Amino acid sequence: MADTTPVWERVRGMVPVSLCDWPGKITCVLFSGGCNLRCPTCHNASLAWNWASLPGLDKSAVLADLRRRKRWLDGITLSGGEPTCVAGLEELLADLASTGLPVKLDSNGSAPHVLRRVLEAGLVQALAVDVKGPWAMYPELTGQGMAADTARDALAEVFALALAYPGQVYFRCTKVPDLTAADLEATRAQVPGDLSLHFQDYVEPRCHDDFS
Ligand code: SF4
């Protein structure tokens, strides 16, 4: 059944200032609830799978706050969960863009057609996309949420997008405990040489209380 939840009801968290979510930029981070994957190492499990239990945010208050703080921010990061799962994502991105701040979107890369749409529409200035590990490990890394072939095909589309939009799409791999040094090397080898892949340290999942 189609998700008819008004899009701002899916916004379930906010970090007012972050220095680490958009490299080199000071951003406000908003979090949308819901995710199509089930990574055992999920950093935002409550948000991903139990988002309706988290307190919501008021659209007018958030947008007013962003406009008030605009001079001290470089942009807005929309993270999750998985924002491409949200029906009405474009509406949400347009609302954020109405503040005049650039917007970056975080994604697990499973919906390249959505990423293409928001790039083509100019709704985001940057995308950060996960490469979770070697394709063969995707089933275990995503809690059986994504098969190896599916991951390879989806990410191939995202790699093509990154080449078509130079400097706007970057890739990251979180060094979760299951990934060995050889796995990290294999992950790097999957990404076309023209594209960068940033390896980030794994941190213990954060409590949802950190979001509001
Ligand atoms: S893709 Fe991200 S939000 Fe979704 S389950 Fe995996 S780690 Fe959690």
Side-chain angles (χ1 to χ4, degrees):
M1 202 191 331
D3 179 0
T4 55
T5 307
V7 67
W8 275 86
E9 288 192 19
R10 292 289 288 266
V11 180
R12 293 285 167 149
M14 177 174 173
V15 171
V17 177
S18 168
L19 303 179
C20 61
D21 279 86
W22 190 344
K25 295 191 186 297
I26 301 170
T27 69
C28 171
V29 187
L30 292 169
F31 297 87
S32 65
C35 185
N36 57 329
L37 303 185
R38 280 284 189 277
C39 308
T41 53
C42 183
H43 54 297
N44 290 339
S46 297
L47 194 69
W49 310 320
N50 196 21
W51 60 270
S53 69
L54 302 178
L57 297 173
D58 179 73
K59 168 184 171 179
S60 301
V62 171
L63 294 178
D65 175 60
L66 288 167
R67 291 192 177 102
R68 184 178 55 78
R69 296 190 296 122
K70 184 176 167 183
R71 75 174 70 175
W72 296 287
L73 293 170
D74 298 317
I76 303 165
T77 295
L78 179 61
S79 191
E82 173 53 32
T84 62
C85 291
V86 175
L89 173 63
E90 281 97 332
E91 177 190 336
L92 176 57
L93 291 172
D95 285 342
L96 298 179
S98 75
T99 64
L101 286 161
V103 179
K104 165 182 167 276
L105 183 67
D106 291 346
S107 174
N108 61 26
S110 62
H113 60 291
V114 177
L115 301 181
R116 178 180 298 280
R117 232 168 39 216
V118 299
L119 273 173
E120 285 177 352
L123 288 169
V124 297
Q125 282 63 52
L127 291 176
V129 180
D130 298 336
V131 182
K132 295 198 174 289
W135 306 136
M137 291 183 69
Y138 258 73
E140 81 181 75
L141 293 171
T142 63
Q144 307 302 320
M146 212 169 173
D149 288 354
T150 307
R152 186 179 53 236
D153 293 349
L155 269 297
E157 281 189 56
V158 185
F159 295 152
L161 267 184
L163 294 169
Y165 289 85
Q168 282 187 255
V169 186
Y170 64 93
F171 298 91
R172 58 200 185 169
C173 173
T174 302
K175 296 188 281 183
V176 298
D178 282 353
L179 292 174
T180 65
D183 294 332
L184 296 177
E185 185 52 39
T187 306
R188 169 63 262 183
Q190 292 172 165
V191 179
D194 292 349
L195 302 175
S196 67
L197 175 66
H198 173 69
F199 288 99
Q200 56 191 21
D201 290 333
Y202 173 67
V203 291
E204 289 297 319
R206 55 182 157 185
C207 167
H208 70 70
D209 291 343
D210 293 345
F211 293 120
S212 53

